[in-house]
C-alpha cells in the first residue's frame, strides 16, 4: 500500500500543479476583469453555477454531459487506433510508405474539423456519425506518424540481434521493436487524445451532446455563466485525460528504456 | 445529389475573396504576435535553463485547453471581437514556436558557437549572425506546423463571429447547403498547403548553403 502510494503520488504532482495553475489563472483574470470594469459578477455567478445542484442532475447535468463527451472520445480514439496503429507500426516494421506516413499528419493538421462535422451532418443527417467521422479523421494522423517514426528510429543493430538469436519477424516485432517504440507511439496517442477531446465540443453544434452543449447553448442564449462554467469543465477534463495518459505511459513503458 | 453548385461560386466570388483575405489576415497576425512573444521567451529559456521547464509547462497547459473553450473563456474580457480570436490563436502558436526555437538554438553545434566567440563576435552578433542561421531549419519547421495548425483553428473562431473561411461552414449549415461548406473546406486546405509550400520556399531562399545537400 505504501509502495503503491509512493509510485502514484509524484506522477500526479505535475498535472495537479497544472490544474491549480489553470484555476489560479481563471480566478486572477476574472478578478482583474472585475477590477478593470469588466463583468463584475462573472466569477461569483460561475461559482454559483457550479454550486447549483440542478446543474449536477438529469439529462443536461454536468455528469451526463461529461459521460457523453468521454463516450465520443473513447469510441473515436478506439476506431482511430484500430486504423492507425496497424498502419503506422506495419509500415515502420517493413520500412515502406514512409512518405505517406510522415505526410499524413501534415495534411491532417490542415483539415478543418469544424467543416468535417457540418459536412458529414449535411450528408448523413442527425446522429453520432458526423462527430465520430471528424474525430477519427483528426485522431488517425498523429498516431500513424508517431508509430512509423517510433518503429523506424529503432537501431538496426537491435533488429539484427533479434534475428541473430533466431527470432522470427513477428517475435522481433512483439518482443523487441514494439516495447522500444512504445514511448513515441504513446506520445502520438496522447497528442491525438487531447485534440480529439478538444474537438468533441463541436458535437454540440450539430445538435449532439457532450460538454460542448454548455458552450454552444450558452453562446446562443448569451448566458455567459453557463459558457464559462462549461469551458472550465472541458479544460479540466482535457488536462485530466492528458494526466491519465501520462500515468498509463509510465506504467506500460519498460523500465529499461525510460529516460 | 448535387454536392457543389458552381453557379453559387460564380455569383459569390467577392465573398470568397473577402473571407480568404480575412483568414490570411487572422493567421498572419496570430503568427506574428506569437513569434514576437515566443522568440524572446525562448532566448531567455536558453540563457537561464531553469526557465525552460516552467515555460514549457505553461505553454503546454494552454495548448491542452480546447480551442473553443479558450475562445469562450476570453469573451468576458474582450467580447465577440477580433481580439478574442487573435489572443486565442496566438496562445496556440506559442507552444509549437517556443519548443522549436529552443530546440533550434540548442541544436547549434558547440564548436560553431565557440568559433564565433573566438573570432571576437559579441554575444548578440554571435546569436543573430551565426547561431540563428544554423538554427533556422528547426525554427522554420515549427513555424510551418504553427501556421498550418492556425489556419485550421481560425475556422473554429467562426463560432464567436470571426473565422474567415469558417463563416462559410456556418452559412452552409444555416442554409443546409453543401456548396459553401465544400468551397470553404477546399479553400482552407488549399491555403494551408500554399502557406506551407511558401514557408519551405522561404527557408530555401534564406539558407543558400543547404541547397543541393539533400
Amino acid at each position: 500500500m505504501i509502495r503503491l502510494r509512493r509510485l502514484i503520488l509524484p506522477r500526479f504532482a505535475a498535472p495537479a500543479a497544472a490544474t491549480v495553475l489553470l484555476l489560479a489563472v481563471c480566478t486572477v483574470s476574472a478578478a482583474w476583469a472585475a477590477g478593470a470594469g469588466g463583468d463584475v459578477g462573472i466569477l461569483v455567478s460561475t461559482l454559483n453555477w457550479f454550486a447549483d445542484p440542478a446543474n449536477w442532475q438529469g439529462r443536461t447535468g454536468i455528469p451526463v454531459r461529461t459521460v457523453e463527451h468521454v463516450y465520443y472520445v473513447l469510441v473515436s480514439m478506439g476506431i482511430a487506433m484500430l486504423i492507425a496503429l496497424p498502419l503506422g507500426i506495419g509500415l515502420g516494421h517493413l520500412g515502406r510508405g514512409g512518405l505517406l506516413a510522415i505526410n499524413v499528419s501534415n495534411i491532417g493538421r490542415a483539415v478543418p474539423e469544424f467543416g468535417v462535422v457540418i459536412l458529414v451532418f449535411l450528408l448523413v443527417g442527425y446522429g453520432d456519425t458526423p462527430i465520430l467521422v471528424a474525430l477519427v479523421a483528426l485522431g488517425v494522423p498523429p498516431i500513424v506518424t508517431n508509430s512509423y517514426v517510433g518503429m523506424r528510429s529503432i537501431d538496426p543493430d537491435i533488429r539484427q540481434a533479434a534475428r541473430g538469436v533466431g527470432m522470427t519477424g513477428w517475435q522481433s516485432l512483439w518482443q523487441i521493436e514494439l516495447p522500444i517504440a512504445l514511448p513515441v507511439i504513446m506520445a502520438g496517442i496522447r497528442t491525438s487524445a487531447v485534440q480529439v477531446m478538444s474537438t468533441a465540443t463541436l458535437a454540440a453544434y450539430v445538435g449532439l451532446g457532450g460538454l460542448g452543449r454548455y458552450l454552444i447553448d450558452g453562446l446562443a442564449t448569451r448566458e455567459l455563466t453557463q459558457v464559462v462554467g462549461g469551458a472550465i469543465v472541458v479544460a479540466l477534463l482535457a488536462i485530466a485525460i492528458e494526466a491519465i495518459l501520462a500515468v498509463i505511459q509510465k506504467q506500460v513503458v519498460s523500465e529499461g528504456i525510460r529516460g | 445529389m448535387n454536392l457543389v453548385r458552381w453557379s453559387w461560386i460564380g455569383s459569390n466570388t467577392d465573398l470568397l475573396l473577402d473571407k480568404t483575405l480575412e483568414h490570411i489576415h487572422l493567421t498572419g497576425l496570430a503568427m506574428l504576435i506569437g513569434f514576437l512573444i515566443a522568440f524572446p521567451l525562448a532566448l531567455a529559456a536558453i540563457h537561464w535553463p531553469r526557465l525552460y521547464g516552467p515555460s514549457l509547462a505553461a505553454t503546454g497547459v494552454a495548448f491542452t485547453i480546447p480551442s473553443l473553450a479558450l475562445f469562450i473563456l476570453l469573451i468576458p474580457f474582450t467580447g465577440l471581437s477580433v481580439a478574442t480570436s487573435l489572443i486565442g490563436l496566438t496562445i496556440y502558436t506559442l507552444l509549437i514556436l517556443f519548443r522549436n526555437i529552443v530546440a533550434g538554438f540548442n541544436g547549434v553545434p558547440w564548436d560553431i558557437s565557440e568559433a564565433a566567440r573566438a573570432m571576437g563576435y559579441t554575444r548578440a552578433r554571435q546569436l543573430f549572425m551565426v547561431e540563428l542561421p544554423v538554427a533556422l531549419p528547426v525554427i522554420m519547421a515549427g513555424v510551418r506546423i504553427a501556421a498550418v495548425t492556425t489556419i485550421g483553428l481560425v475556422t473554429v473562431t467562426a463560432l464567436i463571429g470571426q473565422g474567415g473561411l469558417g463563416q462559410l461552414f456556418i452559412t452552409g449549415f444555416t442554409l443546409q447547403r453543401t456548396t459553401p461548406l465544400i468551397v470553404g473546406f477546399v479553400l482552407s486546405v488549399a491555403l494551408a498547403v500554399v502557406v506551407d509550400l511558401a514557408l519551405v520556399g522561404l527557408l530555401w531562399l534564406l539558407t543558400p548553403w543547404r541547397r543541393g545537400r539533400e
Side-chain angles (χ1 to χ4, degrees):
Chain A
M1 189 60 213
I2 292 169
R3 208 170 138 241
L4 185 75
R5 198 181 297 163
R6 215 187 278 159
L7 270 174
I8 290 175
L9 265 185
R11 282 165 200 169
F12 278 114
T19 313
V20 171
L21 184 79
L22 177 77
L23 287 176
V25 168
C26 289
T27 316
V28 169
S29 49
W32 173 80
D39 191 346
V40 185
I42 191 70
L43 177 62
V44 178
S45 58
T46 306
L47 286 176
N48 284 338
W49 187 79
F50 277 110
D52 187 354
N55 288 324
W56 293 89
Q57 290 157 1
R59 250 172 40 77
T60 60
I62 296 170
V64 173
R65 291 299 186 211
T66 307
V67 168
E68 287 170 345
H69 203 92
V70 171
Y71 161 79
Y72 299 138
V73 175
L74 284 182
V75 171
S76 48
M77 278 303 288
I79 300 173
M81 290 199 295
L82 277 180
I83 298 170
L85 284 175
L87 193 64
I89 293 171
L91 290 176
H93 179 68
L94 300 171
R96 297 214 187 102
L99 205 65
L100 171 88
I102 301 283
N103 284 315
V104 72
S105 70
N106 287 335
I107 299 162
R109 259 193 289 270
V111 173
E113 308 307 329
F114 184 38
V116 178
V117 175
I118 302 177
L119 184 60
V120 179
F121 175 80
L122 290 186
L123 294 179
V124 305
Y126 178 79
D128 287 350
T129 317
I131 190 66
L132 292 181
V133 168
L135 294 182
V136 170
L138 178 72
V140 164
I143 306 180
V144 171
T145 304
N146 273 50
S147 324
Y148 179 83
V149 171
M151 294 300 285
R152 286 325 293 163
S153 59
I154 295 168
D155 189 341
D157 289 350
I158 295 178
R159 232 180 270 253
Q160 282 209 325
R163 282 305 171 99
V165 297
M167 283 188 168
T168 64
W170 277 108
Q171 284 173 328
S172 162
L173 177 66
W174 280 107
Q175 295 171 25
I176 308 287
E177 296 172 42
L178 269 182
I180 296 178
L182 203 55
V184 184
I185 297 175
M186 277 301 293
I189 294 176
R190 280 166 70 176
T191 309
S192 267
V194 170
Q195 287 175 354
V196 163
M197 154 80 220
S198 303
T199 311
T201 48
L202 295 180
Y205 192 76
V206 289
L208 297 168
L211 291 166
R213 281 250 67 94
Y214 298 123
L215 309 184
I216 304 278
D217 294 349
L219 263 182
T221 56
R222 306 263 149 177
E223 282 174 70
L224 205 56
T225 310
Q226 186 187 6
V227 166
V228 174
I232 291 174
V233 179
V234 179
L236 289 180
L237 187 62
I239 292 174
I241 284 188
E242 167 69 10
I244 291 169
L245 286 174
V247 171
I248 292 178
Q249 179 171 356
K250 288 214 168 138
Q251 298 293 347
V252 297
V253 169
S254 155
E255 214 155 313
I257 49 171
R258 268 182 227 157
Chain B
M1 186 163 48
N2 243 339
L3 279 180
V4 180
R5 285 187 17 230
W6 300 100
S7 58
W8 184 87
I9 301 176
S11 53
N12 284 285
T13 43
D14 282 352
L15 174 80
L16 295 179
L17 186 68
D18 204 43
K19 291 298 163 199
T20 309
L21 288 177
E22 195 184 309
H23 208 106
I24 296 171
H25 182 75
L26 272 171
T27 309
L29 266 180
M31 287 294 296
L32 183 70
I33 303 170
F35 197 83
L36 288 180
I37 298 173
F39 195 76
L41 195 64
L43 289 187
I46 292 163
H47 196 80
W48 298 285
R50 242 179 230 188
L51 276 179
Y52 182 68
S55 305
L56 198 65
T59 47
V61 168
F63 201 73
T64 309
I65 301 172
S67 51
L68 184 57
L70 182 65
F71 290 130
I72 289 176
L73 278 175
L74 289 167
I75 290 178
F77 312 115
T78 44
L80 291 169
S81 67
V82 184
T84 307
S85 64
L86 258 186
I87 295 172
L89 292 171
T90 303
I91 288 177
Y92 278 99
T93 65
L94 283 182
L95 173 76
I96 305 167
L97 291 174
F98 174 77
R99 213 165 34 185
N100 275 270
I101 296 171
V102 172
F105 278 110
N106 280 340
V108 175
W110 169 84
D111 41 5
I112 290 184
S113 315
E114 193 76 343
R117 204 179 315 155
M119 286 174 71
Y121 276 59
T122 60
R123 189 69 191 95
R125 278 191 70 207
Q126 183 188 326
L127 190 72
F128 285 100
M129 316 233 0
V130 178
E131 292 175 1
L132 182 60
V134 177
L136 210 54
V138 178
I139 296 178
M140 195 54 101
V143 172
R144 284 173 62 193
I145 298 173
V148 172
T149 309
T150 308
I151 289 174
L153 267 182
V154 166
T155 60
V156 176
T157 63
L159 286 168
I160 55 165
Q162 309 294 322
L165 293 164
Q167 290 286 351
L168 297 176
F169 299 163
I170 295 201
T171 309
F173 183 71
T174 321
L175 301 175
Q176 299 283 301
R177 290 276 179 277
T178 47
T179 308
L181 250 159
I182 292 175
V183 172
F185 192 90
V186 169
L187 282 178
S188 171
V189 172
L191 186 62
V193 172
V194 168
V195 167
D196 196 45
L197 288 177
L199 289 171
V200 172
L202 183 66
L203 180 68
W204 187 83
L205 282 176
L206 289 175
T207 56
W209 61 91
R210 289 175 78 239
R211 287 173 210 166
R213 239 207 254 167
E214 277 151 57

